[in-house]
Amino acid sequence: DAGVIQSPRHEVTEMGQEVTLRCKPISGHDYLFWYRQTMMRGLELLIYFNNNVPIDDSGMPEDRFSAKMPNASFSTLKIQPSEPRDSAVYFCASSATLSDEQFFGPGTRLTVL
Amino acid sequence: GNSVTQMEGPVTLSEEAFLTINCTYTATGYPSLFWYVQYPGEGLQLLLKATKADDKGSNKGFEATYRKETTSFHLEKGSVQVSDSAVYFCALGRFGSSNTGKLIFGQGTTLQVKP
């Protein structure tokens, strides 16, 4: 298996633009997680899905953020409109069960100018 | 509530020095405990884990023992290398009577090893 795949690896955009981050989890994993990592706040869980259904989105910072999982092999995290304070590394992770090892993707480094 | 506390970094060591990174936890039930490592520019990857009290997880020369009496899971390595420079995260999961609960990560500890 190729592991968790994220795209793009780097994204530079201007304030106010829409940003879409993509993730392909490991095949057979029922759980998918989106995290954000910054120097100031560390690693934060934004949202997670079980069998394509959002279960806990309490970590989503505000309405500008939205996440979808239209099928078992694809998820998106969208920011609209983007702001400079959204600059961070965004990780996607997947796992077979809720409490077991999570496998992380390489991350998307987002810079909002 | 359930939580993980790690020692603050950065930890700076010379090559071949002994490493300890402290991790303590608060949890209901009998959680599983994990150490993840994040190398520069990469995502987190599992380093080792322990699923019950007194278990010792080990990998790549790193070890950690699940101590229920002190609610700790300290990471140790006898002789660090420059290539061990990374951020280390302690995490717990599987807590609660129903063995559910998503992983909770500590804040991470940066290790810098100098030649």
Side-chain angles (χ1 to χ4, degrees), chain B:
Chain B
N2 303 303
S3 66
V4 177
T5 302
Q6 292 181 231
M7 64 186 290
E8 289 194 17
V11 174
T12 303
L13 297 173
S14 297
E15 207 164 22
E16 299 184 1
F18 184 86
L19 167 71
T20 299
I21 299 178
N22 291 338
C23 171
T24 57
Y25 68 90
T26 302
T28 55
Y30 305 96
S32 292
L33 299 168
F34 306 81
W35 276 103
Y36 280 76
V37 58
Q38 183 181 26
Y39 297 105
E42 300 183 10
L44 282 70
Q45 55 186 278
L46 183 68
L47 179 60
L48 54 85
K49 67 179 181 181
T51 57
K52 61 183 186 297
D54 299 326
D55 268 3
K56 177 185 285 187
S58 61
N59 186 25
K60 299 181 181 179
F62 290 89
E63 293 182 340
T65 301
Y66 187 156
R67 302 286 189 197
K68 191 171 186 299
E69 64 276 11
T70 55
T71 61
S72 65
F73 193 56
H74 304 323
L75 182 67
E76 296 182 337
K77 186 175 185 183
S79 176
V80 293
Q81 305 300 312
V82 173
S83 57
D84 295 325
S85 298
V87 182
Y88 293 81
F89 293 88
C90 186
L92 76 160
R94 280 193 180 274
F95 41 80
S97 58
S98 57
N99 269 345
T100 60
K102 60 185 183 290
L103 290 184
I104 295 177
F105 288 90
Q107 71 270 34
T109 301
T110 299
L111 170 65
Q112 299 174 337
V113 180
K114 298 186 175 181

Side-chain angles (χ1 to χ4, degrees), chain A:
Chain A
D1 199 319
V4 176
I5 299 172
Q6 291 186 249
S7 65
R9 292 295 309 274
H10 301 273
E11 177 80 34
V12 180
T13 190
E14 292 188 347
M15 182 174 63
Q17 296 299 305
E18 177 180 294
V19 175
T20 299
L21 311 181
R22 298 172 176 80
C23 175
K24 176 179 169 57
I26 292 174
S27 177
H29 281 186
D30 290 338
Y31 289 85
L32 183 140
F33 306 81
W34 282 102
Y35 291 88
R36 177 172 68 177
Q37 186 178 39
T38 62
M39 290 293 292
M40 291 296 294
R41 301 175 68 92
L43 189 67
E44 303 174 275
L45 176 65
L46 300 178
I47 185 172
Y48 77 91
F49 294 82
N50 176 28
N51 291 325
N52 315 335
V53 176
I55 302 300
D56 183 356
D57 64 354
S58 60
M60 297 285 263
E62 48 197 277
D63 292 345
R64 298 184 297 106
F65 286 70
S66 63
K68 295 182 179 179
M69 192 165 185
N71 58 61
S73 59
F74 184 66
S75 177
T76 60
L77 178 68
K78 185 176 293 186
I79 308 172
Q80 166 63 13
S82 58
E83 297 182 4
R85 60 194 169 115
D86 301 330
S87 297
V89 181
Y90 291 82
F91 290 103
C92 176
S94 70
S95 65
T97 68
L98 181 56
S99 304
D100 276 326
E101 175 186 359
Q102 292 181 18
F103 293 82
F104 282 73
T108 295
R109 181 173 295 277
L110 173 65
T111 302
V112 183
L113 302 174

